[in-house]
Amino acid sequence: MFDAIVLGAGSSSRLKQDKLKLCLGDDSVIYRTLKAFFSIEGLNKLILVTKSDNFFAFADLTEEFNLTLVEGGDTRTESVSNALTCVSAPYVLIHDGARPFVSSKLINTVLLNTKNFGSAIPALPQIDTIKEVFDSKVVKTLDRSKLFSVQTPQGFDSSKIKKAYQSLKIDEVFTDDSAVFEKYIEAPHIVEGDPLNKKITEPSDILGLNAKVGAGFDVHPLALNRKLILCGVEIPSKKGLLGHSDADVAVHAIMDALLSAIGEPDIGELFPDSDPKYLGANSISLLSEVVARVKAKNFTVLSVALTIIAQKPKLAPYREKFIASLSKALKVKEDKIGIGFTTTEYLGIIGEENAIAASAIVSLI
Ligand code: MG
């Protein structure tokens, strides 16, 4: 039997938003973390240490995981001290709430070793070389083979870790529990950590976790007596693109890319060419509607990569105008937009100057 303490009372200062409430797919960080412990056999009590402001916000979690809520202190050390007073099982596992990728295998390994050795700390060998630095100068290069970085959950014999925390002097602060145990009880036992058991601390830790990618492609025929409009910019040309709207293939490809990224129907369905409303429509204003949908789903455009495939006219001289126009419509900075131009080497309908195509890939977060 064991109790688990999940720490979620930090200020998330480096992330500038409450990392516990961040969503990873459909679930929040704290949900994923709590769920990992809830499914472990032998769990007696699941204790969540958090700010009292969160008690109400976490009411659903409290019910689903039968949580014991404890108010966090000003420091990690204080938070753990508060939580230990609720521990009644012979063993306790202490875990960072911001490590949502902890596996049941690691939790069980820590638990088993805690029973056998009185403590178990997951650790990974140090990959980077570590330097001791003072005043911008390297003082010493440490022997990497002796260095390990430690993770959580850290497991302890409950009576021993309680005794360690009771021995603490006022204002003594530690960054992890094994250091308290090491100082007041004995050398903790090390088990192999898990590289996937990452702690979310910096904004870069979540970049990519929630990112979406979308792809779009479009082609329109070229015809006489039509304006050639690409990326919302009119280009002098004998032929223009033919379509129900202004037939701006580049903007159409970008719209489909954005819509696919947020899981919404494509432009054929949203702006059907059977609807007279869209006859001669300005594609840039349709793009604004799509951007509003992206915003409504709480996504931001990270990057847009566009390729325009045309034999003629030569489009590269318009790159800057295209980027400026798209930047305005997408409400993103110009450096987020990349545009490439290619021909089909005179092959097929594009090579024969009878069509222009465009393909777009976007990433959102
Ligand atoms: Mg189209």
Side-chain angles (χ1 to χ4, degrees):
M1 289 279 269
F2 75 103
D3 289 342
I5 297 173
V6 172
L7 296 165
S11 59
S12 301
S13 54
R14 273 174 286 188
L15 207 62
K16 297 186 180 74
Q17 55 182 310
D18 190 345
K19 56 190 171 189
L20 297 184
K21 293 174 189 156
L22 273 174
C23 276
L24 304 169
D26 287 341
D27 302 326
S28 65
V29 165
I30 191 65
Y31 184 92
R32 287 271 298 254
T33 307
L34 293 168
K35 199 174 161 197
F37 282 88
F38 193 65
S39 59
I40 303 293
E41 209 185 306
L43 177 73
N44 172 55
K45 210 185 279 177
L46 186 50
I47 302 162
L48 175 64
V49 189
T50 192
K51 294 177 206 142
S52 56
D53 325 356
N54 275 336
F55 284 14
F56 182 72
F58 291 158
D60 287 351
L61 292 177
T62 307
E63 199 186 321
E64 181 168 350
F65 298 120
N66 196 18
L67 298 177
T68 301
L69 291 176
V70 171
E71 188 170 353
D74 290 335
T75 61
R76 181 198 165 92
T77 309
E78 222 178 290
S79 290
V80 176
S81 287
N82 293 352
L84 282 172
T85 60
C86 299
V87 168
S88 54
Y91 305 102
V92 59
L93 266 50
I94 305 174
H95 187 64
D96 299 322
R99 288 187 194 265
F101 307 113
V102 61
S103 66
S104 52
K105 187 177 166 213
L106 181 64
I107 298 173
N108 281 317
T109 302
V110 169
L111 189 57
L112 183 71
N113 280 275
T114 303
K115 286 175 185 168
N116 290 341
F117 299 98
S119 64
I121 315 299
L124 288 171
Q126 188 57 46
I127 296 166
D128 297 326
T129 299
I130 304 285
K131 307 277 185 184
E132 194 179 312
V133 174
F134 180 73
D135 209 8
S136 304
K137 289 252 180 342
V138 172
V139 178
K140 204 184 339 171
T141 298
L142 302 172
D143 178 1
R144 196 172 65 178
S145 67
K146 289 182 182 165
L147 296 173
F148 288 79
S149 51
V150 299
Q151 306 181 317
T152 69
Q154 300 187 350
F156 305 96
D157 176 296
S158 300
S159 57
K160 285 183 178 175
I161 191 74
K162 281 183 184 181
K163 196 175 153 206
Y165 269 86
Q166 281 155 9
S167 313
L168 281 178
K169 295 176 187 76
I170 293 169
D171 291 339
E172 235 183 336
V173 168
F174 292 83
T175 52
D176 82 334
D177 310 296
S178 64
V180 183
F181 192 84
E182 179 192 340
K183 179 162 180 190
Y184 289 106
I185 305 295
E186 63 197 8
H189 179 73
I190 291 294
V191 298
E192 192 182 347
D194 177 0
L196 296 178
N197 179 28
K198 285 196 187 335
K199 186 175 181 183
I200 296 173
T201 311
E202 304 283 344
S204 60
D205 296 335
I206 52 162
L207 196 70
L209 292 178
N210 266 359
K212 298 270 185 192
V213 174
F217 178 81
D218 198 20
V219 56
H220 277 265
L222 281 164
L224 291 167
N225 302 318
R226 285 279 298 183
K227 282 183 183 171
L228 177 59
I229 296 169
L230 288 168
C231 302
V233 177
E234 190 176 335
I235 293 151
S237 165
K238 265 195 294 186
K239 287 178 173 179
L241 290 168
L242 188 62
H244 187 66
S245 66
D246 62 7
D248 187 334
V249 273
V251 172
H252 291 186
I254 291 170
M255 287 195 284
D256 271 344
L258 292 169
L259 290 164
S260 69
I262 59 170
E264 294 215 2
D266 61 24
I267 52 171
E269 205 165 311
L270 283 182
F271 314 119
D273 58 11
S274 54
D275 189 338
K277 194 164 90 179
Y278 300 115
L279 183 65
N282 174 347
S283 297
I284 283 283
S285 49
L286 299 181
L287 176 58
S288 299
E289 281 186 46
V290 171
V291 169
R293 283 172 183 262
V294 169
K295 253 197 145 166
K297 289 217 164 161
N298 204 19
F299 279 102
T300 302
V301 177
L302 271 186
S303 68
V304 176
L306 175 72
T307 306
I308 302 179
I309 312 152
Q311 194 62 51
K312 247 189 178 174
K314 213 171 166 33
L315 296 170
Y318 294 93
R319 189 195 312 266
E320 282 177 18
K321 276 191 176 172
F322 288 175
I323 289 177
S325 167
L326 291 175
S327 154
K328 205 172 144 204
L330 288 161
K331 297 188 183 85
V332 300
K333 292 204 173 110
E334 296 192 356
D335 63 4
K336 302 258 176 75
I337 303 167
I339 305 182
F341 303 99
T342 188
T343 68
T344 59
E345 300 288 349
Y346 304 101
L347 295 169
I349 48 166
I350 292 173
E352 289 157 6
E353 297 169 35
N354 287 322
I356 291 179
S359 129
I361 293 176
V362 298
S363 60
L364 314 176
I365 191 154

Coordinates of all heavy atoms in Angstrom, one line a residue, residues 29-102:
V29 N -2.5 18.7 -18.4 CA -1.3 18.2 -17.8 C -1.6 17.5 -16.5 O -1.2 16.3 -16.3 CB -0.2 19.3 -17.6 CG1 0.9 18.8 -16.8 CG2 0.3 19.8 -19.0
I30 N -2.3 18.1 -15.6 CA -2.5 17.6 -14.3 C -3.4 16.3 -14.4 O -3.2 15.4 -13.6 CB -3.1 18.6 -13.3 CG1 -3.1 18.1 -11.9 CG2 -4.5 19.1 -13.7 CD1 -1.7 17.9 -11.3
Y31 N -4.3 16.3 -15.3 CA -5.2 15.1 -15.5 C -4.4 13.9 -15.9 O -4.5 12.8 -15.3 CB -6.3 15.4 -16.6 CG -7.3 14.3 -16.8 CD1 -8.5 14.3 -16.0 CD2 -7.0 13.3 -17.6 CE1 -9.4 13.3 -16.2 CE2 -7.9 12.2 -17.8 CZ -9.1 12.3 -17.1 OH -10.0 11.2 -17.2
R32 N -3.5 14.1 -16.8 CA -2.6 13.0 -17.3 C -1.8 12.5 -16.1 O -1.6 11.3 -16.0 CB -1.7 13.5 -18.4 CG -2.4 13.8 -19.8 CD -2.4 12.5 -20.6 NE -1.1 12.0 -21.0 CZ -0.5 12.2 -22.2 NH1 -1.2 12.8 -23.1 NH2 0.7 11.7 -22.4
T33 N -1.2 13.4 -15.3 CA -0.4 13.0 -14.2 C -1.1 12.2 -13.2 O -0.7 11.1 -12.8 CB 0.3 14.3 -13.5 OG1 0.9 15.1 -14.5 CG2 1.3 13.9 -12.5
L34 N -2.3 12.7 -12.8 CA -3.1 12.1 -11.8 C -3.6 10.7 -12.3 O -3.6 9.7 -11.5 CB -4.3 12.9 -11.4 CG -3.9 14.2 -10.6 CD1 -5.2 15.1 -10.6 CD2 -3.4 13.9 -9.2
K35 N -4.0 10.6 -13.5 CA -4.5 9.4 -14.1 C -3.4 8.3 -14.0 O -3.7 7.1 -13.8 CB -4.9 9.6 -15.6 CG -5.8 8.6 -16.1 CD -6.3 9.0 -17.5 CE -6.8 7.8 -18.2 NZ -6.9 8.1 -19.6
A36 N -2.2 8.7 -14.3 CA -1.1 7.7 -14.3 C -1.0 7.0 -12.9 O -0.7 5.8 -12.8 CB 0.3 8.4 -14.6
F37 N -1.1 7.8 -11.8 CA -1.0 7.2 -10.5 C -2.3 6.5 -10.1 O -2.2 5.5 -9.4 CB -0.7 8.3 -9.5 CG 0.7 8.7 -9.5 CD1 1.2 9.7 -10.3 CD2 1.7 8.0 -8.7 CE1 2.5 10.0 -10.4 CE2 3.0 8.4 -8.7 CZ 3.4 9.3 -9.6
F38 N -3.4 7.0 -10.5 CA -4.7 6.4 -10.1 C -4.9 5.0 -10.5 O -5.5 4.2 -9.9 CB -5.8 7.3 -10.7 CG -7.2 7.0 -10.1 CD1 -7.5 7.3 -8.8 CD2 -8.2 6.5 -10.9 CE1 -8.7 7.1 -8.3 CE2 -9.5 6.2 -10.4 CZ -9.7 6.5 -9.1
S39 N -4.2 4.6 -11.6 CA -4.4 3.3 -12.2 C -3.4 2.3 -11.5 O -3.4 1.1 -11.9 CB -4.2 3.3 -13.7 OG -2.9 3.8 -14.0
I40 N -2.5 2.7 -10.6 CA -1.5 1.8 -10.0 C -2.1 1.0 -8.9 O -2.8 1.5 -8.0 CB -0.3 2.6 -9.5 CG1 0.3 3.4 -10.7 CG2 0.7 1.7 -8.9 CD1 0.9 2.7 -11.8
E41 N -1.9 -0.3 -8.9 CA -2.4 -1.2 -7.9 C -1.7 -0.9 -6.6 O -0.5 -0.7 -6.5 CB -2.1 -2.6 -8.3 CG -3.1 -3.6 -7.8 CD -2.7 -5.0 -8.1 OE1 -2.5 -5.3 -9.3 OE2 -2.6 -5.8 -7.2
G42 N -2.5 -0.9 -5.5 CA -2.0 -0.6 -4.2 C -2.0 0.8 -3.7 O -1.6 1.2 -2.6
L43 N -2.6 1.7 -4.6 CA -2.7 3.1 -4.2 C -3.7 3.3 -3.1 O -4.9 2.8 -3.2 CB -3.1 4.0 -5.4 CG -3.3 5.4 -5.1 CD1 -2.0 6.2 -4.9 CD2 -4.1 6.1 -6.2
N44 N -3.3 3.9 -2.0 CA -4.2 4.1 -0.9 C -4.8 5.5 -1.0 O -6.0 5.6 -0.9 CB -3.3 4.0 0.4 CG -4.1 4.4 1.7 OD1 -5.2 3.9 1.9 ND2 -3.5 5.3 2.4
K45 N -4.0 6.5 -1.1 CA -4.5 7.9 -1.1 C -3.7 8.7 -2.2 O -2.5 8.6 -2.3 CB -4.2 8.5 0.3 CG -5.2 9.6 0.7 CD -4.7 10.2 2.0 CE -5.1 9.3 3.2 NZ -4.6 9.9 4.5
L46 N -4.4 9.5 -3.0 CA -3.8 10.3 -4.0 C -3.9 11.8 -3.5 O -5.1 12.3 -3.4 CB -4.5 10.1 -5.3 CG -3.9 10.8 -6.6 CD1 -2.4 10.6 -6.7 CD2 -4.5 10.3 -7.9
I47 N -2.8 12.4 -3.1 CA -2.8 13.7 -2.5 C -2.3 14.7 -3.5 O -1.2 14.6 -4.1 CB -1.9 13.7 -1.3 CG1 -2.3 12.6 -0.3 CG2 -1.8 15.1 -0.6 CD1 -1.2 12.3 0.7
L48 N -3.1 15.7 -3.8 CA -2.7 16.8 -4.7 C -2.4 18.1 -3.9 O -3.3 18.6 -3.2 CB -3.8 17.1 -5.8 CG -3.5 18.3 -6.7 CD1 -2.3 18.0 -7.6 CD2 -4.7 18.6 -7.6
V49 N -1.2 18.6 -4.0 CA -0.8 19.8 -3.3 C -1.0 20.9 -4.3 O -0.3 20.9 -5.4 CB 0.6 19.8 -2.8 CG1 0.9 21.0 -1.9 CG2 0.9 18.5 -2.1
T50 N -1.8 21.9 -4.1 CA -2.0 23.0 -5.0 C -2.4 24.3 -4.3 O -2.6 24.3 -3.1 CB -3.0 22.6 -6.2 OG1 -2.9 23.5 -7.2 CG2 -4.4 22.5 -5.6
K51 N -2.5 25.4 -5.1 CA -2.9 26.6 -4.5 C -4.4 26.5 -4.1 O -5.1 25.9 -4.9 CB -2.7 27.8 -5.5 CG -1.3 28.1 -5.8 CD -1.3 29.2 -6.9 CE 0.0 29.0 -7.7 NZ -0.2 29.3 -9.1
S52 N -4.8 27.2 -3.0 CA -6.2 27.1 -2.6 C -7.1 27.6 -3.7 O -8.3 27.2 -3.8 CB -6.4 27.7 -1.3 OG -6.0 29.1 -1.3
D53 N -6.6 28.6 -4.5 CA -7.5 29.1 -5.6 C -7.9 28.0 -6.6 O -8.9 28.1 -7.3 CB -6.8 30.1 -6.5 CG -5.8 31.0 -5.8 OD1 -5.7 30.9 -4.6 OD2 -5.2 31.9 -6.5
N54 N -7.1 26.9 -6.7 CA -7.3 25.9 -7.6 C -8.4 24.8 -7.1 O -8.9 24.0 -7.9 CB -6.1 25.1 -8.0 CG -5.3 25.8 -9.1 OD1 -5.8 26.5 -9.9 ND2 -4.0 25.5 -9.1
F55 N -8.6 24.9 -5.8 CA -9.5 23.8 -5.2 C -10.8 23.7 -5.9 O -11.3 22.6 -6.2 CB -9.7 24.1 -3.7 CG -8.6 23.7 -2.8 CD1 -7.3 23.5 -3.4 CD2 -8.7 23.6 -1.5 CE1 -6.2 23.2 -2.6 CE2 -7.6 23.3 -0.6 CZ -6.4 23.1 -1.2
F56 N -11.4 24.9 -6.3 CA -12.7 24.9 -6.9 C -12.5 24.4 -8.4 O -13.3 23.5 -8.9 CB -13.3 26.3 -6.9 CG -14.7 26.3 -7.5 CD1 -15.8 25.7 -6.9 CD2 -14.9 26.9 -8.7 CE1 -17.0 25.8 -7.5 CE2 -16.1 27.0 -9.3 CZ -17.2 26.4 -8.7
A57 N -11.5 24.9 -9.1 CA -11.3 24.6 -10.5 C -11.0 23.1 -10.6 O -11.3 22.5 -11.7 CB -10.1 25.4 -11.0
F58 N -10.4 22.4 -9.6 CA -10.1 21.0 -9.7 C -11.2 20.1 -9.1 O -10.9 19.0 -8.8 CB -8.8 20.7 -9.0 CG -7.6 21.3 -9.8 CD1 -6.4 21.6 -9.1 CD2 -7.7 21.6 -11.1 CE1 -5.3 22.1 -9.8 CE2 -6.6 22.1 -11.8 CZ -5.4 22.4 -11.2
A59 N -12.4 20.7 -8.9 CA -13.5 19.9 -8.3 C -13.8 18.6 -9.0 O -13.9 17.5 -8.4 CB -14.7 20.7 -8.2
D60 N -13.8 18.6 -10.4 CA -14.1 17.4 -11.2 C -13.0 16.4 -11.0 O -13.2 15.2 -10.8 CB -14.2 17.8 -12.6 CG -15.5 18.5 -13.0 OD1 -16.3 18.6 -12.0 OD2 -15.6 19.0 -14.1
L61 N -11.7 16.9 -10.9 CA -10.6 16.0 -10.8 C -10.6 15.3 -9.4 O -10.3 14.1 -9.2 CB -9.2 16.7 -10.9 CG -8.8 17.3 -12.2 CD1 -7.5 18.1 -12.0 CD2 -8.6 16.2 -13.2
T62 N -11.0 16.1 -8.4 CA -11.1 15.7 -7.0 C -12.1 14.5 -6.9 O -11.8 13.5 -6.3 CB -11.5 16.8 -6.1 OG1 -10.6 17.9 -6.3 CG2 -11.4 16.4 -4.6
E63 N -13.2 14.6 -7.6 CA -14.2 13.6 -7.6 C -13.7 12.4 -8.4 O -13.7 11.2 -7.9 CB -15.5 14.1 -8.2 CG -16.7 13.3 -7.7 CD -17.9 13.7 -8.4 OE1 -18.1 14.9 -8.6 OE2 -18.7 12.8 -8.8
E64 N -13.2 12.6 -9.6 CA -12.8 11.5 -10.4 C -11.7 10.6 -9.8 O -11.7 9.4 -9.9 CB -12.4 12.0 -11.8 CG -12.0 10.8 -12.8 CD -11.9 11.3 -14.2 OE1 -12.3 12.4 -14.6 OE2 -11.4 10.4 -15.0
F65 N -10.7 11.3 -9.2 CA -9.6 10.6 -8.7 C -9.6 10.5 -7.2 O -8.6 10.1 -6.6 CB -8.3 11.2 -9.2 CG -8.1 11.2 -10.6 CD1 -8.0 12.4 -11.4 CD2 -8.1 10.0 -11.4 CE1 -7.9 12.4 -12.7 CE2 -8.0 10.0 -12.7 CZ -7.8 11.2 -13.4
N66 N -10.7 10.8 -6.5 CA -10.9 10.7 -5.1 C -9.7 11.4 -4.4 O -9.0 10.8 -3.5 CB -11.0 9.2 -4.7 CG -11.5 9.1 -3.3 OD1 -12.1 10.0 -2.7 ND2 -11.3 7.9 -2.8
L67 N -9.4 12.6 -4.8 CA -8.2 13.3 -4.3 C -8.3 13.8 -2.9 O -9.4 14.2 -2.4 CB -7.9 14.5 -5.2 CG -7.6 14.3 -6.6 CD1 -7.4 15.7 -7.3 CD2 -6.3 13.4 -6.8
T68 N -7.2 13.8 -2.2 CA -7.0 14.6 -0.9 C -6.3 15.9 -1.3 O -5.2 15.8 -1.8 CB -6.2 13.8 0.1 OG1 -6.8 12.5 0.3 CG2 -6.0 14.5 1.4
L69 N -7.0 17.0 -1.1 CA -6.4 18.3 -1.5 C -5.6 18.9 -0.3 O -6.2 18.9 0.8 CB -7.4 19.3 -2.0 CG -8.1 18.9 -3.4 CD1 -9.2 19.9 -3.7 CD2 -7.1 18.9 -4.5
V70 N -4.4 19.4 -0.6 CA -3.6 20.0 0.4 C -3.2 21.3 -0.1 O -2.8 21.4 -1.3 CB -2.4 19.1 0.8 CG1 -1.4 19.9 1.7 CG2 -2.9 17.8 1.4
E71 N -3.2 22.4 0.7 CA -2.7 23.7 0.2 C -1.2 23.7 0.2 O -0.5 23.3 1.1 CB -3.3 24.8 1.2 CG -3.0 26.1 0.6 CD -3.7 27.3 1.3 OE1 -4.6 27.0 2.2 OE2 -3.4 28.4 1.0
G72 N -0.7 24.3 -0.9 CA 0.8 24.4 -1.1 C 1.4 25.5 -0.3 O 0.7 26.4 0.1
G73 N 2.7 25.3 0.0 CA 3.4 26.4 0.7 C 4.1 27.3 -0.2 O 3.9 27.2 -1.4
D74 N 5.0 28.2 0.3 CA 5.7 29.1 -0.5 C 6.8 28.4 -1.3 O 7.3 28.9 -2.3 CB 6.3 30.2 0.3 CG 5.2 31.1 0.9 OD1 4.1 31.2 0.2 OD2 5.4 31.8 1.9
T75 N 7.3 27.3 -0.7 CA 8.4 26.6 -1.4 C 8.0 25.2 -1.6 O 7.0 24.7 -0.9 CB 9.7 26.6 -0.5 OG1 9.4 25.9 0.7 CG2 10.2 28.0 -0.3
R76 N 8.7 24.5 -2.4 CA 8.5 23.0 -2.6 C 8.6 22.3 -1.3 O 7.8 21.4 -1.0 CB 9.5 22.5 -3.7 CG 9.3 21.0 -4.0 CD 10.5 20.4 -4.6 NE 10.4 19.0 -4.6 CZ 9.8 18.3 -5.5 NH1 9.4 18.8 -6.6 NH2 9.7 17.0 -5.4
T77 N 9.6 22.6 -0.6 CA 9.9 22.0 0.7 C 8.7 22.1 1.7 O 8.3 21.1 2.3 CB 11.2 22.6 1.4 OG1 12.2 22.6 0.4 CG2 11.6 21.8 2.6
E78 N 8.1 23.3 1.7 CA 7.0 23.6 2.6 C 5.8 22.8 2.1 O 5.0 22.2 2.9 CB 6.7 25.1 2.5 CG 6.3 25.7 3.8 CD 6.1 27.2 3.7 OE1 7.1 27.9 3.4 OE2 4.9 27.6 3.8
S79 N 5.6 22.7 0.8 CA 4.4 22.0 0.2 C 4.5 20.5 0.6 O 3.5 19.9 0.9 CB 4.4 22.1 -1.3 OG 4.1 23.4 -1.7
V80 N 5.7 19.9 0.4 CA 5.8 18.5 0.8 C 5.6 18.3 2.3 O 4.9 17.3 2.6 CB 7.2 18.0 0.3 CG1 7.4 16.5 0.8 CG2 7.4 18.1 -1.2
S81 N 6.1 19.2 3.1 CA 5.9 19.1 4.5 C 4.4 19.1 4.8 O 4.0 18.2 5.6 CB 6.5 20.3 5.3 OG 7.9 20.2 5.3
N82 N 3.7 20.0 4.2 CA 2.2 20.0 4.4 C 1.6 18.7 4.0 O 0.7 18.1 4.7 CB 1.5 21.1 3.6 CG 1.9 22.5 4.0 OD1 2.6 22.6 5.1 ND2 1.6 23.5 3.3
A83 N 2.0 18.1 2.9 CA 1.3 16.9 2.3 C 1.7 15.7 3.2 O 0.8 14.8 3.3 CB 1.7 16.7 0.9
L84 N 2.9 15.7 3.7 CA 3.3 14.5 4.5 C 2.4 14.3 5.7 O 2.3 13.1 6.2 CB 4.8 14.6 4.9 CG 5.8 14.3 3.7 CD1 7.2 14.6 4.2 CD2 5.7 12.8 3.3
T85 N 1.8 15.3 6.2 CA 1.0 15.2 7.4 C -0.3 14.3 7.1 O -0.9 13.8 8.0 CB 0.5 16.5 8.0 OG1 -0.2 17.2 6.9 CG2 1.7 17.4 8.4
C86 N -0.6 14.2 5.8 CA -1.8 13.4 5.3 C -1.4 12.0 5.0 O -2.3 11.1 4.7 CB -2.4 14.0 4.1 SG -3.0 15.7 4.3
V87 N -0.1 11.7 5.0 CA 0.3 10.3 4.5 C 0.1 9.3 5.7 O 0.5 9.5 6.8 CB 1.8 10.3 4.1 CG1 2.3 8.9 3.9 CG2 1.9 11.2 2.8
S88 N -0.6 8.2 5.3 CA -0.9 7.1 6.3 C -0.4 5.8 5.9 O -0.3 4.9 6.7 CB -2.4 7.1 6.6 OG -3.1 6.9 5.4
A89 N -0.1 5.6 4.6 CA 0.4 4.3 4.1 C 1.9 4.1 4.4 O 2.6 5.1 4.7 CB 0.2 4.2 2.6
P90 N 2.4 2.9 4.4 CA 3.8 2.7 4.8 C 4.8 3.3 3.8 O 6.0 3.5 4.1 CB 4.0 1.1 4.9 CG 2.8 0.6 4.2 CD 1.7 1.6 4.3
Y91 N 4.4 3.4 2.5 CA 5.3 4.0 1.5 C 4.6 5.2 0.9 O 3.4 5.3 0.8 CB 5.7 3.0 0.4 CG 6.3 1.7 1.0 CD1 5.5 0.6 1.2 CD2 7.6 1.7 1.5 CE1 6.0 -0.6 1.8 CE2 8.1 0.6 2.1 CZ 7.3 -0.5 2.2 OH 7.8 -1.7 2.8
V92 N 5.5 6.2 0.4 CA 4.9 7.3 -0.3 C 5.8 7.6 -1.5 O 7.0 7.5 -1.5 CB 4.8 8.6 0.7 CG1 6.2 8.9 1.3 CG2 4.2 9.8 0.0
L93 N 5.1 8.0 -2.6 CA 5.7 8.4 -3.8 C 5.5 9.9 -4.0 O 4.3 10.3 -3.9 CB 5.2 7.6 -5.0 CG 6.0 6.4 -5.4 CD1 6.3 5.4 -4.3 CD2 5.3 5.6 -6.6
I94 N 6.5 10.7 -4.2 CA 6.3 12.1 -4.4 C 6.7 12.5 -5.8 O 7.7 12.1 -6.3 CB 7.2 12.9 -3.4 CG1 6.9 12.4 -2.0 CG2 6.9 14.4 -3.5 CD1 7.8 13.0 -0.9
H95 N 5.7 13.2 -6.5 CA 5.9 13.4 -8.0 C 5.6 14.8 -8.3 O 4.7 15.5 -7.8 CB 4.9 12.5 -8.7 CG 5.1 12.4 -10.2 ND1 6.2 12.0 -10.8 CD2 4.2 12.8 -11.2 CE1 6.1 12.1 -12.1 NE2 4.9 12.6 -12.4
D96 N 6.3 15.4 -9.4 CA 6.0 16.7 -9.9 C 4.7 16.6 -10.8 O 4.7 15.8 -11.7 CB 7.1 17.2 -10.8 CG 8.5 17.3 -10.1 OD1 8.5 17.7 -8.9 OD2 9.5 16.9 -10.7
G97 N 3.8 17.5 -10.5 CA 2.5 17.5 -11.3 C 2.8 17.8 -12.8 O 2.1 17.4 -13.6
A98 N 3.9 18.5 -13.0 CA 4.3 18.9 -14.4 C 5.1 17.8 -15.1 O 5.7 18.1 -16.1 CB 5.1 20.2 -14.4
R99 N 5.0 16.6 -14.6 CA 5.6 15.4 -15.4 C 4.5 14.5 -15.8 O 4.3 13.5 -15.2 CB 6.6 14.7 -14.6 CG 7.9 15.4 -14.3 CD 8.9 14.5 -13.6 NE 10.0 15.2 -13.1 CZ 11.2 15.4 -13.7 NH1 11.4 14.9 -14.9 NH2 12.2 16.1 -13.2
P100 N 3.7 14.9 -16.9 CA 2.5 14.1 -17.2 C 2.8 12.8 -18.0 O 1.9 12.1 -18.2 CB 1.7 15.1 -18.1 CG 2.8 16.0 -18.7 CD 3.9 16.1 -17.7
F101 N 4.1 12.7 -18.4 CA 4.4 11.5 -19.3 C 4.9 10.3 -18.5 O 5.5 9.4 -19.0 CB 5.4 11.9 -20.4 CG 4.9 13.1 -21.2 CD1 5.6 14.3 -21.1 CD2 3.8 13.1 -21.9 CE1 5.2 15.5 -21.7 CE2 3.3 14.2 -22.6 CZ 4.0 15.4 -22.5
V102 N 4.8 10.4 -17.2 CA 5.3 9.3 -16.3 C 4.5 8.0 -16.7 O 3.3 8.0 -16.8 CB 5.2 9.7 -14.8 CG1 3.7 9.9 -14.4 CG2 5.8 8.6 -14.0

